[in-house]
Amino acid sequence: MAEKSRIVPVILSGGAGTRLWPASREAYPKQFLPLLGERSTFEETLRRVADPDVFADPVVVTGEDFRFLVADQLARAGTAGRIVLEPMRRDSGPAIAVAAELIAAADPDAVMLVLAADHLVSDAAAFAATAQAGLAAAEAGALVTFGIRPTHPATGYGYIRPGDMMDGRVRMVAAFVEKPDEDRARAFLGEGYLWNSGNFLFRADVFLAELARFEPAIAAAAKAVAGSIAVDKAGNVTFERIDREAFAASPAKSVDYAVMERTDRAAVIEADYAWSDLGSWEALWDMADKDEAGNAVRGAVSLSGTRNSYVASDDIHTAVIGLDDVAVVATKDAVLVAKRSVAAELKGLVADLRSLPETRRLADEHRQVLRPWGSYESVDRGERFQVKRIVVKPGARLSLQKHFHRAEHWIVVKGTATVEVDGKATIVRENESAYIPLGAWHRLTNEGKIQLELIEVQSGSYLGEDDIVRSEDDYKRV
């Protein structure tokens, strides 16, 4: 297949996913988590568009805070792609518009495949076949959405009423319908309505023309943004940064409200694979493999007299006895026990956690905090001291930095560290330690081929993460 005819995937990966708390949090949301199997939904999305005969390299639109998560998982998947960074969330319409401008600059006729990074598809081959089946209609100027045949009367999804046949499996959209109540949803099942999956296939230039018709402010902001992209290299990764002021001029609006529900070019192709947006623990249970009692489990779990439940543990052994239709999710610092169907209530709970200083971190971060060079995890804390477990990737190094209020002791438990203190470098091996005095310029590097692990003991009058001054940083953080 010729290069020009390949479909360009656009993967939206900037959401927070609070309805899957405590597994999904602001700093490490659900699209990057291995919720089903060993790969994240973002990695699974990359695998669905990996065939070079069908798909070009993807354009990933994400937030500044997720840039290194995206880069790491792209590398793990062996996928090259453009990483475009939003300075703020403006919903899907502006994000897709910027991607369309960037793609159209290289080929106005290019067909885009817009995907959410946090959706789950059961059959990658069927997905690719569906995209190819909709390609001719998209090339002819239709804005094709992927419709899913409902398996139950869901009230959490928008619906599509298919209209006249257009091309092969593609039909015109007769109507988009907002999330219904249960009675209407049941009626929709018998009337041939489809779930609106939020995946789209269309030509870049056609989408931009329709956007200019209905939302000229979004279209103008996207054009301005595309003309002022700043290319930034951090380590061996290239990021494309969207100008904050230009992007802020765009109204925040979903692509459905901005274009799809208003255009006369909307079409739908019925997908023949199982799909979920994983918008709740109920949805995750629905897509997971289950035992004979209807339970889906992950991690260190024991069950007795429990049915139709989702139980997962990342750390402590979790036992559930005599419960039905529940979600039990245990992480290293929080446990959720709820009705399996709970979704909206969780969003409110997370908002309440975020509103209080003593619980804000639980809403935003896991106990293990990821960094571009590796991760750290607080394992103990008391008055004037904190103990952390630090992991540094092979070939990575931390910034050259100093602290005004704390000293640090580093004990290497795995690998070999190069420790620089006030310009003097020392090799520290397993079971050896290094001392970092208060106020000293220091840096930690893993020059080895295996992961470096160490225990850090901090002591001082203030132990906050903001007690840091960086002089040099491979990742260009401030």
Side-chain angles (χ1 to χ4, degrees):
M1 186 176 291
E3 175 72 22
K4 185 177 180 181
S5 63
R6 290 193 303 167
I7 300 168
V8 183
V10 174
I11 303 175
L12 306 181
S13 189
T18 55
R19 288 178 297 175
L20 289 185
W21 186 89
S24 177
R25 306 194 195 182
E26 182 75 21
Y28 196 10
K30 65 175 181 174
Q31 61 265 32
F32 303 115
L33 298 171
L35 295 170
L36 290 171
E38 297 182 356
R39 289 183 290 267
S40 70
T41 56
F42 176 59
E43 290 174 289
E44 292 289 359
T45 303
L46 293 172
R47 287 171 65 86
R48 288 202 300 276
V49 294
D51 186 343
D53 292 330
V54 179
F55 302 106
D57 290 338
V59 176
V60 182
V61 184
T62 190
E64 181 80 19
D65 292 342
F66 304 147
R67 66 194 189 279
F68 291 109
L69 282 170
V70 167
D72 281 351
Q73 296 198 3
L74 276 168
R76 196 156 63 211
T79 303
R82 301 174 70 174
I83 304 175
V84 181
L85 304 180
E86 295 179 295
M88 65 196 73
R89 291 172 184 159
R90 306 303 274 172
D91 216 323
S92 60
I96 295 169
V98 173
E101 285 284 358
L102 295 175
I103 291 166
D107 179 7
D109 297 332
V111 174
M112 303 166 50
L113 174 61
V114 179
L115 305 171
D118 57 356
H119 291 187
L120 187 68
V121 167
S122 64
D123 188 333
F127 171 85
T130 300
Q132 289 178 288
L135 182 58
E139 289 177 328
L143 304 179
V144 183
T145 184
F146 290 23
I148 309 296
R149 182 160 294 280
T151 57
H152 61 281
T155 58
Y157 296 145
Y159 284 72
I160 297 170
R161 178 160 59 88
D164 296 336
M165 186 62 70
M166 179 183 174
D167 182 295
R169 290 166 56 186
V170 181
R171 306 174 74 97
M172 297 303 295
V173 171
F176 288 95
V177 183
E178 293 296 318
K179 297 173 183 177
D181 59 27
E182 188 168 348
D183 288 341
R184 289 189 76 203
R186 288 188 184 281
F188 289 167
L189 261 64
E191 296 171 9
Y193 282 61
L194 303 172
W195 287 336
N196 184 0
S197 72
N199 297 328
F200 306 100
L201 189 71
F202 43 66
R203 266 180 24 204
D205 61 345
V206 173
F207 173 77
L208 291 171
E210 292 296 275
L211 184 67
R213 283 179 59 200
F214 301 116
E215 293 289 343
I218 296 178
K223 186 175 287 293
V225 162
S228 60
I229 288 284
V231 177
D232 182 24
K233 196 171 178 80
N236 60 353
V237 182
T238 298
F239 301 108
E240 299 179 56
R241 279 194 166 82
I242 292 173
D243 180 77
R244 173 174 286 274
E245 185 176 346
F247 198 58
S250 177
K253 190 168 287 190
S254 74
V255 67
D256 297 275
Y257 291 147
V259 174
M260 295 304 297
E261 295 182 7
R262 300 156 77 178
T263 181
D264 57 2
R265 292 177 173 268
V268 61
I269 182 168
E270 182 178 335
D272 55 0
Y273 48 77
W275 164 90
S276 175
D277 69 351
L278 298 184
S280 65
W281 290 114
E282 172 91 357
L284 192 59
W285 171 85
D286 190 53
M287 295 293 285
D289 293 332
K290 304 174 189 68
D291 62 19
E292 62 278 4
N295 297 309
V297 300
R298 182 172 61 83
V301 170
S302 295
L303 303 180
S304 177
T306 296
R307 300 180 61 82
N308 301 321
S309 296
Y310 179 88
V311 185
S313 177
D314 289 339
D315 189 27
I316 58 174
H317 198 99
T318 301
V320 179
I321 301 175
L323 296 181
D324 295 343
D325 306 315
V326 296
V328 179
V329 183
T331 67
K332 291 183 178 181
D333 58 355
V335 177
L336 170 73
V337 181
K339 291 181 180 178
R340 204 185 63 215
S341 59
V342 165
E345 294 91 336
L346 252 184
K347 194 171 183 179
L349 171 67
V350 174
D352 290 342
L353 290 173
R354 189 171 288 122
S355 69
L356 301 173
E358 60 269 28
T359 55
R360 184 176 299 128
R361 187 196 60 78
L362 288 173
D364 293 340
E365 293 184 345
H366 294 84
R367 200 166 78 182
Q368 183 187 48
V369 178
L370 299 181
R371 288 290 183 261
W373 42 261
S375 66
Y376 70 83
E377 178 181 344
S378 180
V379 296
D380 195 12
R381 183 167 187 154
E383 187 177 356
R384 295 181 63 88
F385 81 90
Q386 180 173 208
V387 180
K388 289 183 177 181
R389 178 176 177 264
I390 295 177
V391 176
V392 184
K393 302 172 187 175
R397 64 177 182 174
L398 282 64
S399 61
L400 183 62
Q401 58 187 257
K402 68 177 178 179
H403 312 292
F404 292 112
H405 302 287
R406 70 174 185 257
E408 296 171 343
H409 299 257
W410 293 342
I411 303 108
V412 174
V413 295
K414 181 181 179 181
T416 301
T418 301
V419 178
E420 180 183 342
V421 180
D422 284 335
K424 182 180 178 181
T426 305
I427 301 298
V428 183
R429 297 175 176 82
E430 291 182 13
N431 300 317
E432 296 177 348
S433 64
Y435 171 60
I436 315 299
L438 184 151
W441 286 105
H442 60 281
R443 169 174 260 163
L444 176 65
T445 303
N446 180 6
E447 297 179 342
K449 301 295 185 183
I450 64 171
Q451 195 165 264
L452 168 65
E453 298 181 18
L454 56 88
I455 301 301
E456 176 183 84
V457 181
Q458 302 175 354
S459 60
S461 59
Y462 178 73
L463 305 174
E465 291 300 317
D466 55 344
D467 177 23
I468 186 170
V469 176
R470 292 187 176 97
S471 173
E472 299 172 11
D473 184 43
D474 294 344
Y475 312 104
K476 299 185 178 179
R477 297 165 296 170
V478 295

